[in-house]
Amino acid sequence: MVTETTLGAEGAAALAEGGRLPLPWLAGPLHQALTQGRSHALLLQGPAGVGQFDLALLLAQAWLCEGRASSDQPGCGRCASCHLLRARSHPDFQVLLPEALREPLGFGAMEAEGEGASTKAGKAKPSREIKIDAVRQMLSFAQVSAARGKAKVVLVYPAEALNTVAANALLKTLEEPAGLLRFVLASAAPQQLLPTIRSRCQPLQMALPAREAALAWLTAQGVDQAGVLLDATGGRPQEALLWSEEGIAAKTWLELPRRVARGEAVALTDWPVPRAIASLQRLVHDLMRIAHGAAPAYFPRDALPKLPAVRAALDQWARTLQQAARHADHPLNAGLLMESLVAQGQQAMRPAR
Ligand SMILES: [Zn+2]
């Protein structure tokens, strides 16, 4: 399943420019992928919101670049190939993206009939799946020889969005790509991929970026009190930036626990439901950590109210939240759901007497 995080956290990615990377913490992973990537199919895996798509695109840029000094260097940003990729019109490059991600990531809507034509009625929501039509287009791309003779690259993101039919259609080419064809797949949920897809790829693990690098980047993007939002999002700088751009300031986050303790569901009703539920789960997670004598992870300690008297109520709230999270993408009535989750939280956070 494609979560709110994977769909929202990655903006239109930029390319390397004269050795400088758009997301500085990707320098290590990019170097690692360029020097250790032996397979013609790489699978980048790790948490969402830390630049998976960006890294995949940087790899494609490096493989296609005609101006770099050596094979462990990022793309130069100046050659014809880099320019074509920046314009999203490189003849030797194809992306497999869900329809819902094409525009946000800077690729035009796909012109396709049949299963892939998601806007047939003009009203249908763009698909969150990568469908067979997209794979078929890619297969014809795989047949022709490279236009510029350097490499051909197919980027699949997020790979878990491949539906079963599409994934099966991809298998043979993934195993034995013709000529100069290389694949880079990226996934925040590799356990959801078909084992047959996973087994044909060399995995490369991505980690959360170092805190200092993430903070410096967020601050450079104009995020105030970047540390608060970085903690709130579990150390994922792209997600933190997205929150900030969508109006969630550090202050909003710091006030959240006390507002929930007062039963103010309105604190969350403007948020996308999956994000609201995840935030309540982070709150209960932190309250439980404190109950066990550990430091909170997502909120500063002084933003959290005093420990509740009855921990069983916290456990119960955590279970309710976990259940709600499973259906977060399709709540029957988001407003009512939030009111009931917050009411239960208020109960669970009732202070000790
Ligand atoms: Zn170049």
Side-chain angles (χ1 to χ4, degrees):
M1 195 191 71
V2 183
T3 64
E4 188 242 349
T5 310
T6 48
L7 281 180
E10 324 253 347
L15 298 179
E17 199 73 59
R20 272 191 54 240
L21 301 185
L23 303 176
W25 62 85
L26 292 182
L30 179 62
H31 188 261
Q32 189 198 1
L34 288 172
T35 51
Q36 296 170 21
R38 293 170 307 279
S39 167
H40 53 259
L42 300 185
L43 171 59
L44 310 177
Q45 51 189 47
V50 304
Q52 271 185 24
F53 178 78
D54 306 70
L55 180 59
L57 195 63
L58 288 169
L59 264 174
Q61 182 194 4
W63 289 337
L64 293 166
C65 175
E66 292 154 16
R68 60 190 185 138
S70 67
S71 64
D72 63 349
Q73 297 286 306
C76 71
R78 292 178 302 270
C79 71
S81 187
C82 284
H83 283 300
L84 284 165
L85 195 61
R86 189 175 301 113
R88 304 291 192 254
S89 57
H90 199 298
D92 296 325
F93 177 69
Q94 276 231 341
V95 287
L96 287 182
L97 297 171
E99 194 63 36
L101 276 188
R102 290 190 68 93
E103 293 230 26
L105 291 177
F107 296 85
M110 200 176 89
E111 292 158 27
E113 301 288 325
E115 194 204 354
S118 55
T119 50
K120 216 184 277 172
K123 294 237 164 67
K125 268 186 153 183
S127 173
R128 292 176 163 216
E129 290 186 345
I130 299 173
K131 295 183 172 174
I132 183 72
D133 289 342
V135 174
R136 283 205 192 105
Q137 282 194 5
M138 186 281 292
L139 292 179
S140 15
F141 165 80
Q143 302 299 320
V144 298
S145 50
R148 303 188 62 85
K150 183 86 185 172
K152 284 203 302 178
V153 182
V154 173
L155 190 168
V156 187
Y157 174 84
E160 69 272 20
L162 283 163
N163 69 26
T164 313
V165 182
N168 279 312
L170 182 68
L171 283 179
K172 196 169 163 355
T173 310
L174 193 58
E175 185 162 49
E176 290 175 345
L180 300 168
L181 184 59
R182 303 190 74 164
F183 283 89
V184 54
L185 289 72
S187 176
Q191 72 284 356
Q192 290 175 21
L193 300 178
L194 290 183
T196 40
I197 293 269
R198 271 209 309 263
S199 67
R200 283 162 171 79
C201 299
Q202 179 187 353
L204 284 173
Q205 191 63 40
M206 289 178 73
L208 291 174
R211 186 175 174 78
E212 286 313 307
L215 284 179
W217 179 77
L218 281 170
T219 305
Q221 310 296 313
V223 176
D224 251 7
Q225 292 184 265
V228 172
L229 287 188
L230 188 63
D231 287 341
T233 54
R236 300 153 190 237
Q238 283 182 319
E239 198 181 346
L241 178 62
L242 180 77
W243 285 27
S244 165
E245 287 170 350
E246 291 182 0
I248 301 180
K251 185 166 173 282
T252 319
W253 184 253
L254 296 176
E255 286 172 354
L256 185 65
R258 290 208 168 80
R259 295 191 70 184
V260 173
R262 289 196 297 264
E264 295 176 26
V266 66
L268 290 167
T269 39
D270 285 346
W271 296 21
V273 174
R275 182 186 298 166
I277 294 176
S279 297
L280 292 176
Q281 286 183 299
R282 287 168 189 176
L283 173 56
V284 77
H285 172 95
D286 271 4
L287 292 171
M288 284 178 165
R289 282 182 64 89
I290 293 180
H292 291 100
Y298 301 106
F299 293 90
R301 193 173 197 121
D302 57 12
L304 295 163
K306 284 252 158 46
L307 277 185
V310 187
R311 306 219 177 122
L314 271 186
D315 287 335
Q316 184 55 46
W317 189 31
R319 277 196 296 275
T320 310
L321 287 169
Q322 200 174 20
Q323 219 159 26
R326 285 196 206 110
H327 310 288
D329 281 327
H330 315 281
L332 289 176
N333 183 325
L336 276 183
L337 173 67
M338 220 37 73
E339 274 177 29
S340 107
L341 292 176
V342 168
Q344 197 181 346
Q346 180 187 20
Q347 205 67 30
M349 288 161 77
R350 194 155 281 183
R353 291 183 194 278

